[in-house]
Amino acid sequence: MKSIDAFDTIKNGELMFKYLDEVVEEIGEENVVQVITDNASNYVNVGMRLMEKRSRLWWTPYAAHCIDLMLEDIGKLNVHATTLSRARQVVKLIYGHTWVLNLMRTFTKNHELIRPAITRFATAFLTLQSLYKQKQTLIAMFSSEKWCSSTWAKKVEGVKTRSTVLFDPNFWPHVAFCIKTTVPLVSVLREVDSEERPAKGYIYELMDSAKEKIEFNCRGMERKYGPIWRKIDARWTPQLHRPLHAAGYYLNPQLRYGDKFSNVDEVRKGLFECMDRMLDYQERLKADIQLDSYDQAMGEFGSCIAIDSRTLRSPTSWWMHFGGSTPELQKFAIRVLSLTCSASGCERNWSTYPYKKKRLEHQRLNALVYVRYNTRLRERSLQRKQNVDPILVEEIDSDDEWIAEKDDPLLPLDLCWLQDNELFNVDVIRVVSSNSQETQASSDHMVSSHSYKRKHNEVPSTSGGKGKEKELNLAPIDEDEDLDEMGIHDSGHFPTIDTLDEDDDDLGEEDLS
């Protein structure tokens, strides 16, 4: 909606509460269901104060940020930290020098190693996966006569990198282990970071499935997956264990009527907390009675069309079509299931134009972001009309340590419409070339999962974003097999606490043999 020029102020809890409360007042408290912020202590304080003053809305932490912190914590374990460091040295040598990069592309047939992703830590682990896929190619490159006869074969940097790729007995097994223990979590991150498909009804099931996938990838050996689980739980339990997520899990027909649905007290308690907060007493009473029809699949909920549509429609669309006989419960379910889990879309809007670097005047910055955001909305509408699968990853700018390339700007280069006298002229803004709007596409994705641990002997299942059920690939993983054949994909089909002391959670060399 807008930005606030706050460069000359201290962004403490009091100030942020004032700003956010003013926005809620401007929009109307009755129109706000959720406020999402990151997990810094000042924002946690703001969220609690907002919920105290505004009795109907919820504050929730930024899910993508929480999961990114999980990946950061895992990346600090000895095995992961050492492996990432060695992998960066390999990638830096290749991408830092034109001749080496050209040689690598010759051997890989122009397949890249760099995998720009949503966050810095997701980029790191996805690049590890890409590196592993090119394992045999890299071994062939550093063993080739062309490399051995080059000047790089005699330089210290080249000798070290070649030694890592060819002769380090731990490097490739450790790369495979890092992939097995993080890529399911990266898939969760990519789903909850979606701007296109709301993930509120899936995040519980998504997290549980990711943990079970990590356990299976470690062949059920607690000494291997235990440290990873502890890092995940240390962030998940205090930060993302929210009533809104429980309500979304319960109200998602894809999960509620599934065989693996976990109707535990914590889930129902979260649902009832949301109903108590978001509905007045009469609405709450009617919705509670109507909940029986939903639980028992009676009336429209039990029709053949409704049953077959559970996995074909999005949860929100399903409620719109089949919840007409329970209007209070329908309205409540749609409000919950329409929510996102992250605030990435807002961050991307405002990070498009670095304020300090370009020294944009404040009103002009607002106008640029206004046009950019509405351009993206128009693109989504065009995508839906073309039946384009929205569950794709939008590769955004990454950190420099993996030397990632940058995307082209979305807006046209001709900024004549930004002249001061026409800055807020709607007619002028509307004539911006539509060619760029129709050729660029922004899309994200989503999956499913819940936080309550199932028994180890149960085989988990997830639902893809298009509603079709997909079973996890449960083939055991061998470090020397190709990852594409082992089901360790980052395709999205899986479903403020300081970093913990790593000494008790770390793995030894013998655990990875």
Side-chain angles (χ1 to χ4, degrees), residues 87-109:
R88 286 192 185 99
Q89 291 174 1
V90 174
V91 173
K92 279 184 177 180
L93 172 70
I94 294 174
Y95 279 83
H97 307 283
T98 305
W99 185 88
V100 183
L101 178 59
N102 184 62
L103 181 64
M104 184 274 292
R105 286 173 174 166
T106 301
F107 276 84
T108 63
K109 298 181 180 178

Side-chain angles (χ1 to χ4, degrees), residues 31 43-44 132 160 248 361 399 452 464 480 510:
N31 299 319
Y43 281 109
V44 174
Y132 193 87
K160 286 184 177 180
E361 188 268 340
D399 59 307
Y452 302 105
D480 293 327
E510 64 277 4

Side-chain angles (χ1 to χ4, degrees), residues 2-215:
K2 64 179 181 180
S3 66
I4 297 172
D5 187 349
F7 284 143
D8 59 345
T9 58
I10 299 175
K11 299 167 187 63
N12 55 25
E14 186 66 35
L15 182 68
M16 302 313 299
F17 171 74
K18 173 179 175 292
Y19 285 153
L20 285 176
D21 187 58
E22 287 176 355
V23 173
V24 173
E25 185 68 33
E26 179 181 346
I27 297 172
E29 182 180 352
E30 68 280 3
N31 299 319
V32 180
V33 180
Q34 176 185 224
V35 174
I36 299 177
T37 71
D38 66 28
N39 308 317
S41 58
N42 59 332
Y43 281 109
V44 174
N45 175 265
V46 169
M48 296 298 101
R49 293 182 60 185
L50 270 177
M51 288 181 63
E52 289 177 5
K53 180 175 180 180
R54 307 287 184 174
S55 59
R56 293 297 183 89
L57 62 77
W58 288 94
W59 169 80
T60 55
Y62 185 173
H65 184 221
C66 289
I67 297 171
D68 190 48
L69 292 175
M70 294 176 193
L71 289 170
E72 180 181 7
D73 292 345
I74 294 170
K76 291 178 181 178
L77 295 170
N78 284 341
V79 171
H80 294 75
T82 302
T83 304
L84 285 170
S85 177
R86 292 176 181 174
R88 286 192 185 99
Q89 291 174 1
V90 174
V91 173
K92 279 184 177 180
L93 172 70
I94 294 174
Y95 279 83
H97 307 283
T98 305
W99 185 88
V100 183
L101 178 59
N102 184 62
L103 181 64
M104 184 274 292
R105 286 173 174 166
T106 301
F107 276 84
T108 63
K109 298 181 180 178
N110 290 322
H111 288 126
E112 300 293 338
L113 301 180
I114 296 296
R115 292 292 305 280
I118 296 163
T119 68
R120 172 185 177 186
F121 299 103
T123 294
F125 290 113
L126 288 179
T127 300
L128 271 188
Q129 184 191 40
S130 181
L131 197 68
Y132 193 87
K133 288 178 179 178
Q134 300 297 332
K135 172 184 174 181
Q136 297 302 327
T137 302
L138 292 174
I139 290 175
M141 184 187 91
F142 284 106
S143 303
S144 68
E145 181 180 349
K146 196 168 185 179
W147 170 267
C148 294
S149 61
S150 70
T151 57
W152 284 103
K154 302 176 180 62
K155 294 184 178 181
V156 174
E157 187 179 2
V159 171
K160 286 184 177 180
T161 302
R162 183 175 185 269
S163 176
T164 297
V165 173
L166 296 183
F167 305 119
D168 188 336
N170 294 322
F171 178 67
W172 291 112
H174 286 192
V175 168
F177 175 77
C178 291
I179 295 167
K180 292 188 297 185
T181 55
T182 56
V183 169
L185 197 59
V186 172
S187 296
V188 179
L189 173 62
R190 298 172 75 168
E191 297 296 355
V192 301
D193 199 54
S194 170
E195 296 175 57
E196 179 69 25
R197 301 290 292 269
K200 187 66 71 178
Y202 292 92
I203 186 170
Y204 269 33
E205 182 68 19
L206 180 67
M207 288 298 299
D208 202 44
S209 296
K211 289 178 64 178
E212 289 175 343
K213 184 64 177 177
I214 291 171
E215 177 190 4

Side-chain angles (χ1 to χ4, degrees), residues 348-349 352-353 358 360 364-376 379 407-418 429 432-440:
R348 289 168 186 156
N349 286 335
T352 304
Y353 308 99
K358 295 186 181 297
L360 292 170
R364 179 165 297 191
L365 175 67
N366 278 343
L368 284 167
V369 175
Y370 173 88
V371 174
R372 173 179 167 81
Y373 185 71
N374 282 278
T375 299
R376 291 165 66 88
E379 290 167 355
D407 294 333
D408 294 330
L410 178 67
L411 290 177
L413 298 177
D414 183 7
L415 298 181
C416 60
W417 54 274
L418 276 178
I429 293 177
V432 176
S433 172
S434 63
N435 293 334
S436 62
Q437 299 172 353
E438 297 179 4
T439 55
Q440 296 277 346

